[in-house]
Amino acid sequence: QLVESGGGLVQTGGSLTLSCASSQGTFNEKEVAWFRQAPGKVREFVAQRKRDGRTYYGDSVKDRFTISRDGAKETIYLQMNNLKPEDTSVYYCAAGQVPFTRTRDETAYDYWGQGTQVTVSS
């Protein structure tokens, strides 16, 4: 139900924008988020946008990444600037009715995309 796109190879300092398209109103009345997982590491919270528009970010991406939503297109985005080699991961979008206390808890999200690879070369 969620399909990510926009991943690829970029040099350090470059930018990428990821997209996540939904169908059948999956994003309606739900929080939407991005997580990422590097090889051999646990899945990491990246960003969340709540239904009321508030946004939250992981410490490692704050001030570099921006999450947004286009309701008409049923699509969420992750604008990534000033990319670093440590940002290399598979990026996943997710959605669910998530209480504030579980913002960074991947198990709180019911819907997931298949992931898109982002590789940042040094």
Side-chain angles (χ1 to χ4, degrees):
Q1 291 180 322
L2 304 183
V3 179
E4 299 103 334
S5 61
L9 174 65
V10 64
Q11 291 184 334
T12 296
S15 299
L16 276 177
T17 299
L18 305 182
S19 301
C20 175
S22 70
S23 61
Q24 300 176 342
T26 301
F27 291 150
N28 292 346
E29 300 300 318
K30 294 183 182 65
E31 281 65 45
V32 294
W34 290 92
F35 287 77
R36 66 187 182 185
Q37 188 167 20
K41 295 188 176 182
V42 299
R43 192 167 295 186
E44 176 188 15
F45 170 78
V46 174
Q48 188 207 61
R49 187 186 186 279
K50 292 200 171 295
R51 282 170 273 178
D52 62 5
R54 288 178 293 167
T55 56
Y56 299 92
Y57 296 92
D59 291 340
S60 62
V61 306
K62 200 174 296 184
D63 299 326
R64 297 189 298 123
F65 290 12
T66 302
I67 186 172
S68 61
R69 174 180 172 178
D70 184 329
K73 296 182 179 179
E74 295 194 50
T75 301
I76 64 170
Y77 303 95
L78 185 68
Q79 172 68 43
M80 305 185 293
N81 297 326
N82 190 21
L83 283 160
K84 305 175 181 180
E86 51 264 43
D87 294 319
T88 295
S89 286
V90 177
Y91 284 73
Y92 299 89
C93 63
Q97 294 181 327
V98 180
F100 175 75
T101 54
R102 299 184 68 192
T103 294
R104 300 168 184 253
D105 180 359
E106 62 176 296
T107 66
Y109 296 81
D110 299 314
Y111 302 91
W112 289 87
Q114 81 289 351
T116 186
Q117 176 71 46
V118 172
T119 302
V120 184
S121 63
S122 56

